[in-house]
């Protein structure tokens, strides 16, 4: 179910959390999805690195109160714009699926 949507989910979690380290992103996704998405670290960290390389995130090393160093990720302006665009596409897709499953017809785009 996540295939093709993981990047949007990670961007949305960071948008809500502000800045966060990888495990906090996992927790934010779990919390905001009501536990439906409990993603392993092996899924999130490659996505974070990919999004950073694409310029959608930036990261900095920080030292926690415990003394542990953590990489903290933040959305860039480009990442915020990309998330906004993906939200529009998701809304259109969701409305179309809702129309198919629920009988409500989405408004047609005049092209």
């Amino acid at each position: 179910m996540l295939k093709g949507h993981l990047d949007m989910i990670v961007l949305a979690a960071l948008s809500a959390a502000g800045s966060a380290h990888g495990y906090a992103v996992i927790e934010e996704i779990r919390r905001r999805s009501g536990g439906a998405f409990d993603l392993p670290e092996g899924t999130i960290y490659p996505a974070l690195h990919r999004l950073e390389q694409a310029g959608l995130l930036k990261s900095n090393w920080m030292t926690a109160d415990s003394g542990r160093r953590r990489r903290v990720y933040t959305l860039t302006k480009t990442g915020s714009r990309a998330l906004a665009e993906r939200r529009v596409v998701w809304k259109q897709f969701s409305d179309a699926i809702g129309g198919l499953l629920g009988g409500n017809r989405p408004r047609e785009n005049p092209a």
Side-chain angles (χ1 to χ4, degrees), residues 34 45 86:
Y45 286 104
R86 291 173 190 205

Side-chain angles (χ1 to χ4, degrees), residues 33-107:
S33 71
F37 301 138
D38 189 10
L39 305 174
E41 292 179 24
T43 299
I44 291 298
Y45 286 104
L48 289 168
H49 295 293
R50 182 177 60 253
L51 292 167
E52 184 176 20
Q53 288 201 337
L56 304 178
L57 302 178
K58 64 180 178 178
S59 69
N60 293 304
W61 285 100
M62 304 200 126
T63 304
D65 293 338
S66 66
R68 184 175 178 187
R69 284 178 36 99
R70 293 180 171 170
R71 181 170 257 170
V72 176
Y73 297 89
T74 306
L75 231 55
T76 62
K77 287 181 183 179
T78 303
S80 293
R81 283 192 300 270
L83 177 58
E85 291 167 5
R86 291 173 190 205
R87 280 184 169 140
V88 169
V89 170
W90 177 257
K91 176 77 170 101
Q92 292 169 343
F93 176 77
S94 177
D95 288 348
I97 293 296
L100 289 168
L101 297 178
N104 298 329
R105 294 181 62 190
R107 295 186 342 202

